[in-house]
Amino acid sequence: MTNRDARTPASVQDIKSQEAGKSIGWHKAYVEGSRPDIRVPVRQVHLTNGQSVTLYDTSGPYTDPLVETDVRRGLAPLRENWIVARGDTEEYAGRPVRPEDDGIKHTSPRGGLRNLDAVFPGRPRQPRRSRDGKAVTQLAYARRGEITPEMEFVAVRENVSPEVVRDEIAAGRAVLPANVNHPEIEPMIIGKRFLVKVNANIGNSAVTSSIEEEVEKMTWATRWGADTVMDLSTGRNIHTTREWVLRNSPVPIGTVPLYQALEKVDGKAEELTWEIYKDTVIEQAEQGVDYMTVHAGVRLPYVPLTANRKTGIVSRGGSIMAAWCLAHHKESFLYENFEELCEILAAYDVTYSLGDGLRPGSIADANDEAQFAELKTLGELNRIAKRFNVQTMIEGPGHVPMHKIKENIDLQQEICDEAPFYTLGPLTTDVAPAYDHITSGIGAAMIAWWGTAMLCYVTPKEHLGLPNRDDVKTGVITYKIAAHAADLAKGHPGAQEWDDALSDARFEFRWEDQFNLALDPDTAREFHDETLPAEPAKTAHFCSMCGPKFCSMKISQDIRRQHGGSQEEIEEGMAQKSKEFAAAGNRVYLPLAD
Amino acid sequence: MTNRDARTPASVQDIKSQEAGKSIGWHKAYVEGSRPDIRVPVRQVHLTNGQSVTLYDTSGPYTDPLVETDVRRGLAPLRENWIVARGDTEEYAGRPVRPEDDGIKHTSPRGGLRNLDAVFPGRPRQPRRSRDGKAVTQLAYARRGEITPEMEFVAVRENVSPEVVRDEIAAGRAVLPANVNHPEIEPMIIGKRFLVKVNANIGNSAVTSSIEEEVEKMTWATRWGADTVMDLSTGRNIHTTREWVLRNSPVPIGTVPLYQALEKVDGKAEELTWEIYKDTVIEQAEQGVDYMTVHAGVRLPYVPLTANRKTGIVSRGGSIMAAWCLAHHKESFLYENFEELCEILAAYDVTYSLGDGLRPGSIADANDEAQFAELKTLGELNRIAKRFNVQTMIEGPGHVPMHKIKENIDLQQEICDEAPFYTLGPLTTDVAPAYDHITSGIGAAMIAWWGTAMLCYVTPKEHLGLPNRDDVKTGVITYKIAAHAADLAKGHPGAQEWDDALSDARFEFRWEDQFNLALDPDTAREFHDETLPAEPAKTAHFCSMCGPKFCSMKISQDIRRQHGGSQEEIEEGMAQKSKEFAAAGNRVYLPLAD
């Protein structure tokens, strides 16, 4: 999204790249709202023609040279005053953190944190929750007609009126994930009326990865445009990793509490209980998790529907719940206790992301009975959540061939009263492991065009291994492409200005502007320099595709010079101008030295 | 496309990877037609469960260890006997090759080929053309009701009847590009009734690249699945580079003769003449070019329509013709002489690829008046070409946002009597230079689903530089994904069997089979090994996403074991089976050592 000159940056600071003195051509700036503590970050790209383009920015204070950041202290609690001022929450002692929260058993021979330094050293804090009887969710505020600072922040960010934000949230068509215990975030909104958002998954696993890596992946993902981050850690140090991530994250953090609950019962799904699960949800809510994936739609009667699938249940959460249901031959404890869960989430303003535990894991299983049975239950749960003022979005597939994608979003919107749809891809074919960012980027762009509000990224490592730093970047960039392509296709106001600015720069051979406007300026510049490394080439009126002797862009500029003006003038003056063209030497290109 | 066990390989030979003794898990095989000289190549993937999967193969003899290949000799002339047997063509002396064919002027101080060794040393040959009055195109044969060996070859390749091939060609809905002077090709077909095809562009330019590199790019592109290759060379040695590429190419080769013609007039568009152009077309037809892009739709009255575009004319061919029209204030010599051009192409069975010289070069310019004015002219030219029995496809854009894509294919099909559409992407946003394989892969998948027959690939270097070997591979793989996703969405018979085979392997933890079935086995294997490098991990019943303690796929297998069988049995036996599950220890995962 871009909105040239529509906003007044409150502060514009040069950001220099690592290479001394080399400007990277854009600046962190802020747009002020109605009060000085509403400062919405933007990326201000300064063009060589004197114009500037303002882009949505998810990178947080890390790209602001005026802000000192230190991952050991965490980010400043931007929203704290807003939360306190509402007077409807209170601090309390909170649940004591136990060794098993980090996967450590007293009886374990390998007891103790692998790295005791890892305990987050930042400012001491007590958790906060609603005072009794108070409804403290953005949904509750919106329904009461209130416009919170968070809503105004988002309105500035999306370039819409605060009333639109409030109304979309009130109608349940958008969510503003903002746990009262995560004051560090820069508020953002997820809904089809707004810019399409992208989530990046991080998380260590039993096999590999460390706390430091996960925090670094989070800041790296948001630098490239991730709007939210899910911490899907499954190994040890889950609690501590999450604390580090939350305290340093400028974007909402999502989790799947079931993963941690399973660790607490040593991976034995049948030993899970509602109590262990509930305790884990409270633990995470107190830390500040903004939205939680809850697989409450995986009901006992649906499990047999997956028996003859090609790839069964591929959702981890879904298969955990299926295993539990089978082991006990009982209805899911998540489904049975859903109302109590709503009460807990409401107390912290944790947003539901109702998980699609029965999503298809292959082209063959797309849109089948199991998948749509669960979707109907998600619709039912969505209505219950709304009764408790809990903000709710709905997760979607998965692996779906192109001709079956639209049915997914259409059914979801109908069954779930237009609650935001949050999809993983979908992957449009199964045959390209190592390229599933692309197989799924295709499906993601399409389903977002048709109304999906947030896209969960897929990296090149999907199905093969854990993503590294490069994979995270590739996944985020691919999904930003899908999201922006959808914004364009939806005719989102202002979306095309970004494309137009870049195309203008391309047409006018302003190479540096092309790079700085690119989703990934570094790679664009690097690719250009591979073929034409010399600095003068960046201002040359040609590129490596055609070379200096003939350039189609150059010819078009000649045409524009001749034929600019009204259609009438064009018709009248054409013969005359053609003569001039010939008289001027029929120059269809500029010499190299020009 | 896959078709398990439906074909009998005539020969199956082990192909070993470079690393000694390490099987790469697939074999080059051939499916025989009705006569022994119709041998259709396939890639036979052998699975560890004893099954095999047959995939379409474009890699030519290079992947057959029984065939000795030598780029200095060229490939065997597979089709020669078929062409000779028809008795409707004759060899003739041909046009003498002149220094200027390679961009060398007698007066040039840099005269002479840069590398005299570069002259193709292979078998001497004389060009061939139709005997007078004979119609020698596949279209002419199809209209007469004949099924040529080429058609039968294609029918086997596509797993359809030869009659379907003949009828689609006769109706002009498909083309079988096969110049009588390119007997080396393994015939293939382009039409919406068939598998979606992918073209890869290669070609040196004035700035960089050598003959050797271009030949290598061609074999590399076809190894990864390119169905045709366009040689878009623009620098020196154009004639010689093309000779090397043609003599070594197992796939049809396309060109844009205008590029070479422009070189002959030293890059001055206004000095182009019909005579120079015609001579170049004959030069290239004698060499064996299978299809030629001809920008005959860029008419004088359309040029002013581009004056107020954001990015003017971005097609090189389009801008050359526009410059010529402007310089002379005359109608395009290609449009004016189109019938004579048809006669030439018909004599060699060169297929038209009617170029979209006014395609949009930015989101802002999509679907505008200039673009659709040209499309109407292409419809008119298509009908003229058909009168001369010239096979014809139509080129399409370009840069188009998702919501405007369908109009392109729908209009093209209507205006051009369902002639095959051949599109470049389209790119669905302008903001991601360095990732335009992805911005365009999205659009390519969609437009192919809706009926486009061939997709011209876009590499990560688009807009930035010339693609290297890695870029060519990335571009081809991305476009194979788009093409296959479209085959699935179109419900192409057999397309899903490939996905199913890979998903079966995934569900059953047959890692080696997953790799070997992947579009890019090398990268899939490499990514897996980054996280879990040990050889035993490839047979382990878990992967790095969940680790050994909990695996959703494993749980699904348990479910299947319990609930396999009819729905009735499932309902009846569920409680009982759940008890057994518990009795067996509620094992939802296998221990690592299992």
Side-chain angles (χ1 to χ4, degrees):
Chain A
M1 209 248 346
T2 172
N3 179 29
R4 264 186 266 189
D5 307 319
R7 300 159 180 169
T8 310
S11 80
V12 175
Q13 304 301 329
D14 272 351
I15 295 182
K16 303 293 183 182
S17 75
Q18 301 301 81
E19 301 154 66
K22 190 178 171 191
S23 168
I24 56 170
W26 58 272
H27 310 78
K28 182 85 168 193
Y30 297 90
V31 182
E32 263 189 32
S34 64
R35 38 193 269 192
D37 63 346
I38 294 182
R39 295 173 74 238
V40 179
V42 293
R43 170 186 277 219
Q44 194 88 13
V45 182
H46 292 274
L47 307 183
T48 55
N49 65 1
Q51 294 184 312
S52 76
V53 177
T54 304
L55 301 178
Y56 194 101
D57 180 48
T58 58
S59 62
Y62 301 103
T63 49
D64 185 342
L66 287 193
V67 178
E68 270 183 48
T69 56
D70 176 354
V71 291
R72 299 180 67 83
R73 284 188 292 127
L75 298 177
L78 175 69
R79 292 170 58 231
E80 193 163 69
N81 290 340
W82 308 344
I83 296 164
V84 171
R86 284 194 278 261
D88 53 4
T89 55
E90 61 189 358
E91 290 187 330
Y92 68 109
R95 173 191 171 283
V97 177
R98 295 188 279 266
E100 54 264 42
D101 298 346
D102 271 318
I104 296 145
K105 297 247 161 163
H106 292 294
T107 55
S108 165
R110 295 183 301 173
L113 279 174
R114 277 192 292 197
N115 177 5
L116 279 173
D117 288 343
V119 173
F120 185 73
R123 71 194 160 82
R125 55 180 285 280
Q126 275 202 314
R128 180 180 289 280
R129 69 182 170 198
S130 63
R131 288 184 199 280
D132 48 10
K134 298 290 186 189
V136 305
T137 68
Q138 298 288 326
L139 173 56
Y141 303 142
R143 281 174 165 175
R144 291 203 299 259
E146 291 175 25
I147 291 172
T148 61
E150 286 88 343
M151 294 177 204
E152 191 192 329
F153 191 103
V154 159
V156 174
R157 215 167 184 186
E158 299 270 348
N159 210 18
V160 298
S161 77
E163 288 74 18
V164 166
V165 172
R166 181 196 59 198
D167 294 349
E168 290 297 299
I169 294 173
R173 287 191 297 264
V175 295
L176 195 164
N179 186 325
V180 295
N181 292 307
H182 194 195
E184 296 90 348
I185 59 164
E186 296 167 342
M188 52 78 69
I189 194 162
I190 302 164
K192 62 183 173 182
R193 170 78 180 71
F194 306 100
L195 290 165
V196 175
K197 302 304 186 298
V198 171
N199 171 71
N201 292 334
I202 61 169
N204 63 357
S205 85
V207 177
T208 181
S209 178
S210 73
I211 291 175
E212 291 80 0
E213 279 176 81
E214 297 315 313
V215 174
E216 163 67 11
K217 272 186 206 166
M218 180 273 293
T219 55
W220 183 242
T222 56
R223 177 183 160 179
W224 292 109
D227 295 283
T228 75
V229 167
M230 289 194 80
D231 177 4
L232 304 184
S233 293
T234 58
R236 288 211 166 187
N237 299 343
I238 292 187
H239 181 98
T240 305
T241 301
R242 190 167 50 235
E243 188 69 25
W244 280 82
V245 168
L246 278 162
R247 299 287 74 81
N248 285 292
S249 175
V251 303
I253 296 295
T255 60
V256 185
L258 195 60
Y259 291 180
Q260 186 179 11
L262 186 73
E263 297 290 333
K264 291 178 181 175
V265 293
D266 203 24
K268 293 173 188 146
E270 72 280 7
E271 292 186 9
L272 282 168
T273 63
W274 164 241
E275 286 68 31
I276 290 170
Y277 182 83
K278 183 169 78 170
D279 178 64
T280 306
V281 166
I282 292 169
E283 172 191 347
Q284 298 195 4
E286 289 180 347
Q287 284 186 290
V289 168
D290 300 287
Y291 66 90
M292 296 184 186
T293 296
V294 178
H295 297 94
V298 180
R299 296 189 54 193
L300 178 65
Y302 305 157
V303 177
L305 301 178
T306 67
N308 293 314
R309 275 182 161 185
K310 186 152 291 283
T311 48
I313 300 175
V314 294
S315 151
R316 253 192 117 231
S319 60
I320 293 167
M321 290 313 300
W324 188 92
C325 291
L326 288 183
H328 299 278
H329 198 238
K330 275 191 187 163
E331 185 53 275
S332 153
F333 63 80
L334 293 176
Y335 181 78
E336 296 277 313
N337 296 283
F338 193 73
E339 297 201 350
E340 189 179 347
L341 191 58
C342 290
E343 285 172 2
I344 298 167
L345 266 55
Y348 304 90
D349 198 4
V350 174
T351 297
Y352 268 124
S353 185
L354 294 178
D356 56 333
L358 303 183
R359 70 169 175 267
S362 57
I363 291 297
D365 295 340
N367 296 20
D368 74 352
E369 198 185 350
Q371 184 193 335
F372 288 149
E374 182 187 29
L375 181 57
K376 280 192 199 108
T377 298
L378 298 186
E380 173 196 332
L381 297 173
N382 173 57
R383 283 189 292 278
I384 295 172
K386 296 293 164 58
R387 277 204 280 117
F388 288 84
N389 281 316
V390 180
Q391 304 189 79
T392 304
M393 52 187 173
I394 311 292
E395 294 186 9
H399 291 238
V400 185
M402 283 192 286
H403 64 301
K404 292 188 177 177
I405 290 177
K406 195 157 187 301
E407 186 181 7
N408 278 275
I409 172 76
D410 289 348
L411 264 183
Q412 183 273 338
Q413 288 287 292
E414 183 193 324
I415 290 172
C416 302
D417 308 328
E418 298 182 82
F421 204 26
Y422 169 29
T423 62
L424 177 75
L427 287 74
T428 53
T429 168
D430 304 336
V431 302
Y435 298 84
D436 279 329
H437 58 307
I438 297 176
T439 65
S440 67
I442 293 167
M446 293 170 71
I447 204 163
W449 167 26
W450 291 323
T452 288
M454 185 157 76
L455 303 169
C456 182
Y457 86 167
V458 171
T459 78
K461 289 282 166 58
E462 184 78 12
H463 298 120
L464 297 169
L466 286 175
N468 62 24
R469 192 180 152 95
D470 285 346
D471 298 320
V472 166
K473 177 178 169 181
T474 302
V476 172
I477 297 276
T478 302
Y479 271 69
K480 293 300 277 190
I481 289 169
H484 183 69
D487 290 336
L488 287 175
K490 286 161 72 175
H492 193 90
Q496 196 183 311
E497 289 176 43
W498 187 5
D499 298 71
D500 289 353
L502 198 142
S503 289
D504 281 339
R506 184 170 282 154
F507 189 67
E508 292 164 13
F509 294 97
R510 289 185 272 113
W511 284 100
E512 283 298 335
D513 293 346
Q514 284 188 63
F515 302 148
N516 290 325
L517 285 165
L519 253 182
D520 178 0
D522 302 353
T523 307
R525 185 176 281 111
E526 178 194 321
F527 281 3
H528 174 268
D529 288 358
E530 264 181 44
T531 307
L532 291 172
E535 197 60 30
K538 291 203 200 64
T539 53
H541 280 201
F542 67 89
C543 58
S544 59
M545 276 76 78
C546 298
K549 288 211 312 184
F550 192 88
C551 169
S552 58
M553 288 288 194
K554 187 66 201 58
I555 286 187
S556 292
Q557 292 179 339
D558 292 339
I559 293 168
R560 180 180 289 184
R561 267 197 291 280
Q562 285 187 61
H563 295 290
S566 73
Q567 192 61 31
E568 255 180 36
E569 288 168 339
I570 288 168
E571 300 292 341
E572 280 177 19
M574 191 160 165
Q576 174 57 29
K577 282 172 176 169
S578 292
K579 280 179 203 158
E580 291 166 15
F581 182 79
N586 289 320
R587 303 250 300 184
V588 295
Y589 60 90
L590 291 175
L592 181 50
D594 195 273
Chain B
M1 209 253 338
T2 172
N3 178 30
R4 264 185 265 187
D5 308 320
R7 301 158 179 169
T8 309
S11 80
V12 175
Q13 304 302 328
D14 272 351
I15 295 180
K16 303 292 181 184
S17 74
Q18 302 300 83
E19 302 155 63
K22 188 177 172 193
S23 170
I24 55 170
W26 58 272
H27 309 80
K28 182 84 168 194
Y30 297 89
V31 182
E32 261 189 33
S34 66
R35 37 193 268 193
D37 63 347
I38 295 182
R39 296 172 74 239
V40 178
V42 292
R43 170 187 277 219
Q44 193 89 12
V45 182
H46 291 274
L47 307 182
T48 55
N49 65 0
Q51 293 184 313
S52 75
V53 177
T54 304
L55 302 177
Y56 195 100
D57 180 50
T58 57
S59 61
Y62 300 105
T63 49
D64 185 341
L66 287 194
V67 178
E68 270 183 48
T69 56
D70 175 353
V71 291
R72 300 180 67 83
R73 283 189 293 127
L75 298 176
L78 177 68
R79 293 169 58 232
E80 191 162 72
N81 290 339
W82 308 344
I83 295 163
V84 171
R86 285 193 277 263
D88 53 6
T89 55
E90 61 189 357
E91 292 187 328
Y92 68 110
R95 172 191 171 284
V97 177
R98 296 187 279 265
E100 55 263 41
D101 298 345
D102 271 318
I104 296 144
K105 298 245 162 164
H106 292 295
T107 56
S108 165
R110 297 182 299 172
L113 278 175
R114 279 189 292 196
N115 177 6
L116 278 174
D117 287 342
V119 174
F120 185 74
R123 70 197 161 82
R125 53 179 287 280
Q126 274 202 317
R128 180 180 289 283
R129 67 182 171 199
S130 63
R131 289 184 198 278
D132 47 11
K134 297 290 184 188
V136 304
T137 69
Q138 297 289 326
L139 174 57
Y141 302 141
R143 282 174 164 174
R144 291 202 300 256
E146 290 175 26
I147 292 172
T148 61
E150 287 89 343
M151 294 178 204
E152 191 191 329
F153 190 102
V154 160
V156 174
R157 216 167 182 186
E158 300 269 350
N159 210 19
V160 298
S161 76
E163 288 75 18
V164 166
V165 172
R166 180 197 59 198
D167 294 349
E168 291 296 300
I169 294 172
R173 287 190 298 265
V175 296
L176 195 165
N179 185 325
V180 296
N181 290 308
H182 194 195
E184 295 90 347
I185 60 163
E186 297 166 340
M188 52 78 69
I189 194 162
I190 302 164
K192 63 182 172 183
R193 171 77 181 71
F194 306 100
L195 291 165
V196 175
K197 302 305 188 296
V198 171
N199 172 70
N201 291 334
I202 61 170
N204 62 356
S205 83
V207 178
T208 180
S209 177
S210 73
I211 291 175
E212 291 78 359
E213 279 176 81
E214 297 314 313
V215 175
E216 163 67 10
K217 272 187 206 165
M218 179 274 293
T219 56
W220 183 243
T222 56
R223 176 182 161 182
W224 293 109
D227 294 284
T228 75
V229 166
M230 289 194 80
D231 177 4
L232 303 184
S233 294
T234 59
R236 287 209 166 187
N237 299 342
I238 292 187
H239 182 97
T240 305
T241 301
R242 189 168 51 235
E243 188 70 23
W244 280 81
V245 168
L246 278 162
R247 300 287 75 82
N248 285 292
S249 175
V251 302
I253 297 295
T255 60
V256 186
L258 196 60
Y259 292 179
Q260 185 179 12
L262 186 73
E263 298 289 333
K264 292 178 180 174
V265 294
D266 204 25
K268 294 174 188 144
E270 73 279 8
E271 292 186 10
L272 282 168
T273 63
W274 164 241
E275 287 67 31
I276 290 170
Y277 182 84
K278 181 170 79 170
D279 178 63
T280 306
V281 167
I282 291 169
E283 171 191 347
Q284 298 194 5
E286 289 179 348
Q287 283 186 290
V289 169
D290 301 287
Y291 64 91
M292 296 182 187
T293 295
V294 178
H295 297 93
V298 180
R299 296 189 53 192
L300 177 66
Y302 304 156
V303 178
L305 300 179
T306 67
N308 294 314
R309 275 182 160 184
K310 186 152 289 285
T311 47
I313 300 175
V314 295
S315 150
R316 255 192 115 231
S319 61
I320 294 167
M321 290 313 300
W324 188 92
C325 291
L326 289 183
H328 299 278
H329 197 238
K330 275 190 186 165
E331 186 54 273
S332 153
F333 63 80
L334 293 176
Y335 182 79
E336 296 277 311
N337 294 284
F338 192 75
E339 296 201 354
E340 189 178 347
L341 190 57
C342 289
E343 284 172 2
I344 297 167
L345 266 55
Y348 304 90
D349 198 4
V350 174
T351 296
Y352 269 124
S353 185
L354 294 177
D356 56 334
L358 303 182
R359 68 169 176 268
S362 57
I363 292 298
D365 295 341
N367 295 20
D368 74 352
E369 197 186 350
Q371 184 193 335
F372 288 149
E374 182 187 30
L375 182 58
K376 282 195 199 106
T377 298
L378 299 186
E380 171 197 332
L381 297 173
N382 174 57
R383 283 189 290 279
I384 295 171
K386 295 294 165 57
R387 278 203 279 117
F388 287 85
N389 280 316
V390 181
Q391 303 189 83
T392 304
M393 51 187 174
I394 311 292
E395 294 185 10
H399 291 239
V400 185
M402 283 191 288
H403 64 299
K404 292 187 177 176
I405 290 177
K406 193 155 189 302
E407 185 181 8
N408 277 275
I409 172 77
D410 289 348
L411 264 184
Q412 183 273 337
Q413 288 288 291
E414 183 194 323
I415 291 172
C416 302
D417 309 328
E418 299 182 81
F421 204 25
Y422 169 29
T423 62
L424 178 73
L427 286 73
T428 54
T429 168
D430 304 337
V431 302
Y435 297 84
D436 279 329
H437 58 306
I438 297 176
T439 65
S440 67
I442 293 167
M446 294 170 71
I447 204 163
W449 167 26
W450 291 323
T452 287
M454 185 157 76
L455 303 169
C456 182
Y457 87 166
V458 171
T459 79
K461 289 281 167 59
E462 184 78 14
H463 297 121
L464 297 169
L466 285 176
N468 62 24
R469 190 180 152 95
D470 286 345
D471 299 319
V472 166
K473 177 177 168 181
T474 301
V476 171
I477 297 277
T478 302
Y479 271 69
K480 292 300 276 190
I481 288 169
H484 183 69
D487 290 337
L488 287 175
K490 287 162 72 176
H492 193 90
Q496 196 183 311
E497 287 176 44
W498 186 5
D499 298 70
D500 289 353
L502 198 142
S503 290
D504 282 340
R506 184 169 282 155
F507 188 67
E508 293 164 13
F509 294 97
R510 289 185 271 112
W511 285 100
E512 283 297 335
D513 292 345
Q514 284 189 63
F515 303 148
N516 290 324
L517 284 165
L519 253 181
D520 177 1
D522 301 352
T523 307
R525 185 177 280 110
E526 178 193 320
F527 281 3
H528 174 267
D529 289 358
E530 264 180 43
T531 307
L532 292 171
E535 197 62 28
K538 291 203 200 66
T539 54
H541 279 200
F542 68 89
C543 57
S544 58
M545 275 77 76
C546 298
K549 287 212 312 185
F550 193 88
C551 169
S552 59
M553 287 288 194
K554 187 65 201 60
I555 287 189
S556 292
Q557 291 180 340
D558 292 338
I559 294 168
R560 181 180 288 183
R561 267 197 292 280
Q562 285 186 65
H563 294 291
S566 73
Q567 192 62 30
E568 257 178 35
E569 291 168 340
I570 287 169
E571 299 293 341
E572 279 177 20
M574 192 158 162
Q576 175 56 31
K577 281 172 175 169
S578 292
K579 281 178 202 159
E580 292 167 15
F581 182 77
N586 288 320
R587 304 252 298 184
V588 295
Y589 61 91
L590 289 176
L592 181 50
D594 195 273

